[in-house]
Amino acid sequence: MAELEGLEFGKSDFVLLDEVNMEQFMENLQLRFEKGRIYTFIGEVVVSVNPYKQMDIYGKVAIEAYRGRELYENPPHLYAVADAAYKAMKRRAKDTCIVISGESGAGKTEASKYIMQYIAAITNPNQREEVESVKNVLLKSNCVLEAFGNAKTNRNDNSSRFGKYMDINFNFNGDPTGGHINNYLLEKSRVVQQHAGERNFHSFYQLLRGGTDDMLSNLHLQRNPEAYVYSKEGASVITVGHAEEDAMKVIGFTSEEISSIYKIIATILLLGNLEFECDGEIVQLPGAGSVSHVAELTGTEPETVSKALLYRTVATGGGEVIEKGHNKLEACFGRDAFAKALYERLFAWIVGRINTVIEVKNYNPALHGKNTVIGVLDIYGFEIFDNNSFEQFCINYCNEKLQQLFIELILQQEQEEYHREGITWQHIEYFNNQIIVDLVEQLHKGIISILDEACLTVGKVTDTVCLETMNTKLGQHPHFTSSRLTSTVLCLPDVVFLSHFVPCPPFQFAALIHPTSLHLPLLPGSADPVLKEMWPDGQLSITEVTKRPLTAATLFKNSIIALVENLACKEPYYVRCIKPNDVKSPVLFDDARCRHQVAYLGLLENVRVRRAGFAYRQPYARFLQRYKMTCEYTWPNHLMDTDREAVEAIVTQHGFEGDVAYGHTKLFVRTPRSLFTLEQERAALIPILVLFLQKVWRGALARMRCRRMRAIYAIMGCYKRYKVKSHFFEVERRFASVRSMADYGKSVEWPTPPKVFCMRLTRLTHVSFRWRARRIIKNIPPSDMLEVRAKVAAMEALRGERPDWGFGRAWERDYLANPKDCPQSSSNFMRASKDLKSKDQYSQILFSGSVRMLNWFNNTKDRGLVITDKHIYKLEPKKYKVHKKIPLDSVTGLSVTSDTDQVVALHTATQDDFLVYLQRGELCPNQDRIGELVGTLCDHFKRVSVTHTSACFLHVRSRFWPLRLRNFFF
């Protein structure tokens, strides 16, 4: 960090001052302010000086520069402390808080807004819709709360007139899931009275100047703020917007709720203009119009409004209810009390309504991980006016409590921890304001207890009696005095002085003990649902409602104690805001004014403690757990006797021996540079370790997957074998008796095979078919085998081609020698065939029959066709003389038609093809002999012609003339 800013800008960390004294501290602070460096570190504490001008040090570029960086990597900035708190929350799953303190006008509200914007910008990188919605509501809630809780003062144009503590909840990913807002002590007296030059809350002027004409008409309002008693102070110079309505819509306020809010604000403005008149002892409201307007806006009756303003209802000890009329002073006071209570409850209702929207819903730690929190505290600073009332007393008391927390956490506890851990340490003196806190809140003796006793005393307690009681009990206290104890201020009979960090402010004693609440039975019966919700005690009886509640001071004390306890259980980060001057000048640096703020904020003591102390401390086990990977002796686990020895090994390896101290249970690191070096090395090693772990885990996953796959395949193999065996057993059961069946199992249905066996089922059925065929063939006589083989060959050649090819009849083959088919010429053929057999020496006649032949001249003649195992003969009819002889081995194929005709073409190698028509004999006039001829020739060539074996099934389909032929080549 020191390297990023030159010496001309001063020291960016007050710890780096040459000498720690007020003069050098102020010189460095003024130099940085004049050079435009409004932020300076004190260790992890950010000191912020209000620049009173716009600074170009925010926005996306600056956010990216500080995102994920260590605290001392960049120049001092609010973003640095916001990122440090966010990283501590995310890395260590520890709740953190950012405490923003300083007096009014020092820039606390703006600092809190920049911190909120930074946290919103660095979270939810995946742009999840539900997270973005939460972020928008959290950011827009600031706009709404500023409109209703901020006002222009003489010191600050946008002064927070209430204290705000916001918890932002994060899931295990570091994304915001919701939040909760606590508000403390709204300055409700501002509603009815403002100091000269100051204004009422922004909401009044935003309604009057920003509302539409129709809206103002419906609310019975004028656009001029000077027309109303409660808003006329400071109304001449007004610059307002109307963005709170859009913000309320984004948050989730309904149109009806927004309308009710504006009605309440209008009611308060109209109440301020009500005047009372006295008619003897009776107080009256002269104008009925304003009362009717108030009744209309509050959803009540005009008579009820008048009665509530002119009378008060009191319950006696016996349960009797009495109505007592007001005098004019009491009526005016009651009207103002009504207006203050109405606005106070409106503000509390708005905060509660926002909380219902942003609260964490449906969160289960078992499912969503630990819910961590970052708290942001933006609360009023010390205030000193000419006339300091009850609000200033509570505000300064609150700041004393926060200063006490700062002292305990930063100064006292740190020095006590050094002593407890055995670290050599020179004690640093500082002022402990616990004595002032006790002066205010101590039981029975504190100022708040004395004020409570005065309020609980029966009868009217005068200021003099109460002040004397306080003087009696606190007169010897070194930090308390009053006008009756100090002769120099006897001209101020009702003033109390408290001496503490700020200059001794005078508190008007009457303003501390006047009644602060008045019961009005008006609004619980309102028809407006928002007003009814704001007065939940409306259902109670008058005797229950009028029971005395806790005083405002006690309620505020309890809430501040709870706030401090809440902050004490979180890891704190501080932003200490300083106001450079009282005239809001961007160039004026009031040394005396700033010196006083530095003194009461305890910044000089903080520098001394931080400079003499250690920037970082961590138990040995946690330090070792985070940085053990940076040392070879401690990764992955050390073998030393204690964690301290392992931590010493890490420190020694990195050469940090002179920058650390070893306590009994913790390691103390003096400068952040050493820690930053460790973080850098750790960040460089994390990707390597992640890759190693990924490799090991992927290997483990692969081995588990391999074992699982092996098991799966083993189970699958066993299951497949089981299914195959089951299938075989079923086949064996079904086909057990097929030998004795007439069809040898042809009618038996095969069981459905498993998928793994589907490919082999075809082979198995083929084997079954062959077995069945063999069984059938065994029963055929040898003399019929020649005919069976021919029919099989014909079936293979003609199946599906011709409708009938003579499968169902007996094949005679030698039809010319059959007397039944050729009764007149069979004897002549027998003699001629004997002569041919003796001449050509053939073994058998394959086929013979009468045919009609077509010659090349388109003439037909009857012939006898004889096919032997050696030749094909064309014979003359009747005498059967050989007309032509063709060698059988010259035949290459034959062609037949797909119709029922008996035409066949014989193809020869010498291209001496011839076409014949097989004539039917007398044996059966309708016989189809084409199949017999084709089957006989195919079977013959298959059995005896080895050279034609590979071609005996070769056939193509052709078209000759108008016929579709079936061609067979041998």
Side-chain angles (χ1 to χ4, degrees):
M1 179 197 65
E3 299 169 357
L4 297 174
E5 291 189 328
L7 294 177
E8 67 272 16
F9 300 109
K11 301 293 178 62
S12 55
D13 193 327
F14 286 110
V15 175
L16 303 177
L17 292 175
D18 296 332
E19 295 182 11
V20 182
N21 53 51
M22 182 62 75
E23 285 70 23
Q24 286 206 10
F25 189 99
M26 295 305 300
E27 288 177 7
N28 189 66
L29 185 66
Q30 181 174 357
L31 175 62
R32 291 185 61 80
F33 172 75
E34 293 171 351
K35 295 291 185 180
R37 299 301 191 265
I38 62 173
Y39 299 120
T40 312
F41 281 137
I42 303 178
E44 294 180 349
V45 176
V46 174
V47 179
S48 171
V49 181
N50 192 342
Y52 288 117
K53 63 181 179 180
Q54 293 295 326
M55 302 285 290
D56 188 21
I57 56 174
Y58 310 101
K60 293 183 179 180
V61 176
I63 288 173
E64 290 301 320
Y66 284 86
R67 181 200 297 265
R69 312 300 294 183
E70 295 301 324
L71 193 66
Y72 284 85
E73 284 189 74
N74 287 315
H77 202 290
L78 288 174
Y79 292 166
V81 72
D83 194 80
Y86 179 76
K87 287 201 300 286
M89 179 272 300
K90 191 173 181 181
R91 286 177 179 176
R92 302 196 294 272
K94 187 173 183 180
D95 294 343
T96 60
C97 64
I98 302 174
V99 180
I100 308 172
S101 58
E103 68 176 57
S104 179
K108 300 184 299 301
T109 300
E110 291 299 312
S112 69
K113 289 196 290 187
Y114 286 128
I115 289 172
M116 292 285 295
Q117 291 171 2
Y118 180 83
I119 293 174
I122 66 173
T123 54
N124 192 31
N126 298 325
Q127 297 296 307
R128 291 170 52 204
E129 184 177 352
E130 62 273 18
V131 178
E132 286 298 308
S133 175
V134 171
K135 286 163 53 175
N136 288 336
V137 172
L138 290 173
L139 292 177
K140 292 297 182 181
S141 65
N142 276 331
C143 179
V144 176
L145 294 179
E146 282 188 15
F148 290 91
N150 287 26
K152 177 187 180 302
T153 67
N154 292 324
R155 299 183 177 185
N156 188 358
D157 289 342
N158 189 33
S159 177
S160 296
R161 308 317 299 163
F162 71 104
K164 179 183 69 175
Y165 175 73
M166 175 182 288
D167 267 333
I168 308 173
N169 297 82
F170 295 84
N171 60 15
F172 70 98
N173 284 330
D175 293 330
T177 58
H180 186 81
I181 299 173
N182 290 324
N183 66 297
Y184 301 94
L185 191 67
L186 177 73
E187 189 189 20
K188 58 185 179 181
S189 62
R190 182 170 293 272
V191 175
V192 299
Q193 184 180 6
Q194 306 90 39
H195 294 283
E198 298 189 349
R199 290 206 320 235
N200 210 327
F201 292 101
H202 295 326
S203 57
F204 293 98
Y205 306 98
Q206 288 172 343
L207 174 61
L208 294 175
R209 289 294 175 87
T212 63
D213 293 336
D214 291 340
M215 178 190 294
L216 295 178
S217 176
N218 293 333
L219 297 176
H220 308 290
L221 295 178
Q222 304 175 31
R223 192 170 293 280
N224 182 16
E226 295 183 355
Y228 301 97
V229 175
Y230 290 163
S231 62
K232 66 181 180 180
E233 185 69 41
S236 57
V237 181
I238 299 178
T239 302
V240 297
H242 202 52
E244 83 284 352
E245 182 172 351
D246 295 334
M248 285 191 287
K249 291 179 180 178
V250 171
I251 291 173
F253 285 78
T254 64
S255 299
E256 293 75 14
E257 290 173 337
I258 295 174
S259 177
S260 295
I261 291 172
Y262 289 147
K263 287 180 180 179
I264 293 172
I265 296 175
T267 299
I268 295 173
L269 290 172
L270 295 177
L271 282 173
N273 283 9
L274 290 178
E275 296 181 355
F276 300 94
E277 292 182 354
C278 292
D279 185 7
E281 295 183 356
I282 300 175
V283 179
Q284 296 178 346
L285 285 167
S290 298
V291 175
S292 61
H293 292 163
V294 171
E296 177 187 342
L297 294 175
T298 55
T300 57
E301 296 297 329
E303 296 78 9
T304 308
V305 174
S306 298
K307 185 177 179 181
L309 293 173
L310 298 175
Y311 298 89
R312 62 176 175 177
T313 304
V314 180
T316 64
E320 183 182 357
V321 178
I322 301 174
E323 291 184 354
K324 183 180 179 181
H326 289 310
N327 57 37
K328 185 176 181 179
L329 182 60
E330 290 174 341
C332 293
F333 178 82
R335 174 201 61 197
D336 292 344
F338 180 25
K340 291 189 290 184
L342 193 58
Y343 196 82
E344 182 184 34
R345 296 211 180 193
L346 171 63
F347 187 78
W349 180 86
I350 291 174
V351 173
R353 183 69 178 82
I354 295 174
N355 284 334
T356 60
V357 176
I358 64 176
E359 67 179 354
V360 180
K361 302 177 180 68
N362 302 323
Y363 193 87
N364 186 351
L367 296 177
H368 305 106
K370 183 181 178 182
N371 185 4
T372 49
V373 170
I374 292 181
V376 180
L377 177 64
D378 172 19
I379 204 162
Y380 18 60
F382 285 109
E383 288 188 347
I384 306 170
F385 299 133
D386 294 334
N387 295 316
N388 298 290
S389 63
F390 175 76
E391 281 84 0
Q392 280 68 49
F393 172 77
C394 291
I395 286 171
N396 290 346
Y397 160 66
C398 172
N399 279 270
E400 292 290 354
K401 287 290 290 185
L402 294 177
Q403 181 66 22
Q404 180 198 20
L405 177 66
F406 177 79
I407 290 171
E408 288 183 352
L409 295 181
I410 301 299
L411 305 178
Q412 181 177 340
Q413 287 186 8
E414 184 158 353
Q415 296 194 77
E416 290 177 355
E417 184 178 30
Y418 295 149
H419 179 73
R420 185 171 57 252
E421 289 288 330
I423 303 297
T424 303
W425 176 260
Q426 183 178 358
H427 183 74
I428 295 175
E429 296 295 334
Y430 59 89
F431 176 76
N432 190 340
N433 70 333
Q434 181 65 48
I435 186 173
I436 298 175
V437 173
D438 291 340
L439 170 64
V440 176
E441 68 180 18
Q442 190 175 16
L443 289 177
H444 308 301
K445 296 181 180 180
I447 294 176
I448 292 178
S449 295
I450 295 173
L451 293 176
D452 288 349
E453 290 177 4
C455 293
L456 294 175
T457 302
V458 178
K460 187 173 181 179
V461 179
T462 63
D463 299 343
T464 303
V465 174
C466 186
L467 183 58
E468 289 178 354
T469 303
M470 195 173 294
N471 290 335
T472 302
K473 293 185 177 182
L474 302 176
Q476 302 302 317
H477 198 285
H479 296 275
F480 173 85
T481 188
S482 70
S483 56
R484 295 184 178 274
L485 295 176
T486 306
S487 58
T488 58
V489 289
L490 288 179
C491 56
L492 299 174
D494 296 328
V495 174
V496 172
F497 294 89
L498 300 181
S499 175
H500 52 135
F501 271 123
V502 295
C504 191
F507 295 103
Q508 298 297 324
F509 191 77
L512 298 181
I513 64 170
H514 71 67
T516 57
S517 64
L518 178 67
H519 172 70
L520 293 171
L522 167 66
L523 298 179
S526 170
D528 191 317
V530 174
L531 281 170
K532 294 182 70 174
E533 188 177 348
M534 288 164 51
W535 260 267
D537 49 6
Q539 303 300 324
L540 302 177
S541 67
I542 187 65
T543 55
E544 293 173 319
V545 173
T546 52
K547 288 182 179 178
R548 188 180 297 275
L550 294 176
T551 63
T554 300
L555 289 174
F556 182 74
K557 181 189 73 172
N558 294 340
S559 64
I560 293 301
I561 291 175
L563 170 65
V564 171
E565 291 176 352
N566 188 11
L567 296 176
C569 68
K570 295 178 172 62
E571 183 173 328
Y573 291 83
Y574 285 93
V575 178
R576 312 293 263 173
C577 298
I578 292 179
K579 183 178 181 180
N581 56 77
D582 289 328
V583 294
K584 305 172 188 176
S585 170
V587 296
L588 178 61
F589 186 87
D590 189 335
D591 184 86
R593 190 81 174 81
C594 295
R595 187 183 295 262
H596 174 70
Q597 295 174 74
V598 169
Y600 76 68
L601 288 174
L603 299 184
L604 206 58
E605 291 84 353
N606 189 9
V607 174
R608 292 193 180 101
V609 172
R610 177 60 64 178
R611 180 163 174 161
F614 297 86
Y616 178 81
R617 73 286 318 271
Q618 194 69 270
Y620 292 122
R622 293 189 62 179
F623 184 90
L624 183 63
Q625 181 66 27
R626 184 165 184 82
Y627 300 111
K628 64 181 181 179
M629 70 284 297
T630 63
C631 178
E632 58 183 336
Y633 303 110
T634 57
W635 177 258
N637 293 302
H638 68 87
L639 301 177
M640 304 174 191
D641 295 335
T642 62
D643 289 344
R644 173 173 175 168
E645 294 180 11
V647 170
E648 290 179 358
I650 296 175
V651 172
T652 302
Q653 178 166 320
H654 291 85
F656 298 153
E657 300 93 327
D659 199 42
V660 302
Y662 299 98
H664 299 311
T665 62
K666 294 181 180 181
L667 174 72
F668 292 81
V669 182
R670 187 176 299 278
T671 62
R673 177 62 63 184
S674 300
L675 189 65
F676 176 52
T677 303
L678 286 173
E679 284 290 340
Q680 277 187 317
E681 186 169 347
R682 180 181 181 273
L685 289 173
I686 286 296
I688 301 174
L689 296 178
V690 169
L691 290 176
F692 174 76
L693 292 175
Q694 288 179 342
K695 179 185 73 173
V696 173
W697 178 239
R698 286 171 181 164
L701 289 178
R703 286 188 289 273
M704 288 190 292
R705 194 179 301 114
C706 180
R707 287 194 294 268
R708 192 180 299 114
M709 293 300 295
R710 285 178 180 174
I712 290 172
Y713 282 120
I715 294 171
M716 289 172 60
C718 293
Y719 183 71
K720 288 177 182 178
R721 289 192 291 273
Y722 161 74
K723 295 295 288 185
V724 171
K725 289 180 180 180
S726 299
H727 180 70
F728 278 129
F729 291 152
E730 181 63 20
V731 170
E732 182 181 9
R733 185 186 65 80
R734 294 189 182 190
F735 289 87
S737 58
V738 294
R739 292 177 182 272
S740 59
M741 297 174 64
D743 60 354
Y744 297 106
K746 183 178 180 181
S747 60
V748 177
E749 183 180 358
W750 284 82
T752 303
K755 291 184 179 180
V756 69
F757 200 65
C758 287
M759 297 296 295
R760 299 185 181 183
L761 181 63
T762 304
R763 295 178 60 185
L764 185 61
T765 54
H766 183 68
V767 171
S768 175
F769 294 158
R770 290 177 62 87
W771 175 85
R772 188 166 61 250
R774 185 177 295 277
R775 298 293 298 181
I776 295 173
I777 290 173
K778 273 187 177 183
N779 297 328
I780 299 175
S783 59
D784 295 338
M785 286 302 299
L786 189 63
E787 180 182 349
V788 171
R789 284 196 296 269
K791 286 185 176 181
V792 171
M795 180 183 68
E796 293 177 350
L798 298 175
R799 181 170 50 189
E801 299 293 340
R802 287 177 67 89
D804 182 24
W805 43 274
F807 178 79
R809 64 178 180 82
W811 288 358
E812 298 293 337
R813 291 197 176 205
D814 193 359
Y815 289 99
L816 292 177
N818 190 338
K820 295 181 180 180
D821 193 69
C822 300
Q824 299 178 356
S825 59
S826 61
S827 57
N828 294 335
F829 178 76
M830 293 292 291
R831 289 191 295 271
S833 64
K834 289 181 181 181
D835 294 340
L836 288 174
K837 185 175 183 180
S838 62
K839 180 180 179 180
D840 292 337
Q841 298 297 316
Y842 60 83
S843 299
Q844 61 177 340
I845 294 175
L846 300 178
F847 182 84
S848 68
S850 298
V851 298
R852 180 165 288 178
M853 302 187 67
L854 180 68
N855 60 15
W856 294 104
F857 303 102
N858 205 22
N859 295 326
T860 60
K861 292 182 179 180
D862 291 336
R863 293 284 186 268
L865 180 65
V866 178
I867 302 175
T868 67
D869 56 352
K870 290 187 177 181
H871 297 88
I872 298 176
Y873 300 94
K874 298 178 183 178
L875 303 179
E876 295 290 342
K878 296 183 180 180
K879 294 183 180 181
Y880 296 107
K881 292 182 179 180
V882 176
H883 179 71
K884 189 174 183 179
K885 181 174 68 173
I886 301 172
L888 184 61
D889 56 5
S890 67
V891 177
T892 59
L894 60 86
S895 298
V896 299
T897 68
S898 58
D899 207 348
T900 59
D901 56 66
Q902 301 297 300
V903 178
V904 61
L906 292 171
H907 309 288
T908 64
T910 59
Q911 297 184 354
D912 189 14
D913 301 349
F914 57 93
L915 185 67
V916 299
Y917 178 80
L918 301 181
Q919 293 182 335
R920 298 177 177 92
E922 297 181 7
L923 183 62
C924 184
N926 297 322
Q927 279 183 347
D928 187 303
R929 296 179 181 178
I930 290 293
E932 186 175 355
L933 175 60
V934 172
T936 300
L937 290 176
C938 288
D939 179 60
H940 172 74
F941 278 103
K942 184 176 182 180
R943 287 187 296 108
V944 301
S945 183
V946 178
T947 58
H948 292 82
T949 299
S950 61
C952 65
F953 296 104
L954 181 62
H955 56 274
V956 296
R957 184 172 295 174
S958 305
R959 287 182 179 272
F960 296 95
W961 310 299
L963 300 175
R964 183 165 61 89
L965 303 179
R966 180 65 165 160
N967 304 326
F968 303 94
F969 298 94
F970 308 100

